[in-house]
Structure formats: structure tokens, C-alpha cells
Amino acid sequence: MASPTGQPLEQEPLTCSAWDAFDKAQLCFTVGPQFKHFYRFGTWKDCSPLVSDFTFCWSLRNKSEADAQQLLRERAEKKLLGKTVQRPSIDIWEVCCVCAFPRQP
């Protein structure tokens, strides 16, 4: 698999910053993003993936560099695979357009 930079995941050294992950998780729980998500989607934003990222990064600090790189590669491949099998948003927009604006013959 390739990374966003185009290099294979095996060649690119991966990093995981616990501070960055904590900042993203903390920002997710603040009032502004939560109200924006509630306004747009009618539900509160789920911050559990960001908290999971933080706990994963925090757990790597006691691992050796080789073990940490292996775990980071496995997690990156798993996330990339998850993104490729998700339903694209274009399907949702096609459904919305059909429902909201029926075509005139």
C-alpha cells in the first residue's frame, strides 16, 4: 500500500505524537465543534476515534522503535483500508438530489 506521499508504507518512517493526538481529542470535545456537528447532522460528534488515537500513541512510548514502527504500520494500513471501503459521499448527494429535486420530464 502507498502512503499519501506516494511512497510505500514500508519505506516511510511513521510517527505518532501523543500531544497532537491529545490536542485533536480535546478540540473535538469543545463546545464549538460539537454544536456545529449537531447543527449539521442532528447528533453530537463521536470523539472516540480521536481518543483511541491518543491512547494508541501514548501506549507506544514504552515500546522499542522497531515494535512501534510495526504497530504504526499496521494501524496505518488498517485506517487506509477502512477509508477505501467506506461509502463515498457522492452516493449521499445523489440520493439527496433525487429526493429533494426530482427531475422534470
Side-chain angles (χ1 to χ4, degrees):
M1 286 195 183
S3 69
T5 60
Q7 293 181 348
L9 286 176
E10 296 82 28
Q11 295 175 0
E12 188 173 316
L14 301 174
T15 61
C16 187
S17 171
W19 282 111
D20 289 342
F22 178 77
D23 288 342
K24 288 177 184 177
Q26 181 187 16
L27 181 64
C28 181
F29 283 108
T30 57
V31 175
Q34 285 292 333
F35 277 135
K36 184 189 291 186
H37 193 274
F38 189 81
Y39 176 76
R40 290 181 178 172
F41 304 106
T43 60
W44 298 112
K45 188 173 184 178
D46 180 25
C47 299
S48 60
L50 297 172
V51 173
S52 175
D53 288 344
F54 168 68
T55 55
F56 175 75
C57 288
W58 191 256
S59 70
L60 292 180
R61 61 194 175 98
N62 292 331
K63 306 280 186 200
S64 69
E65 185 65 30
D67 290 343
Q69 283 297 312
Q70 180 64 28
L71 290 170
L72 284 167
R73 286 188 206 305
E74 290 172 3
R75 187 169 176 94
E77 288 175 2
K78 188 177 178 183
K79 279 188 171 187
L80 188 61
L81 182 62
K83 286 183 180 182
T84 58
V85 297
Q86 284 179 345
R87 192 170 114 185
S89 63
I90 194 70
D91 293 344
I92 296 168
W93 284 110
E94 288 174 359
V95 170
C96 290
C97 293
V98 169
C99 296
F101 304 106
R103 295 182 186 197
Q104 299 295 330

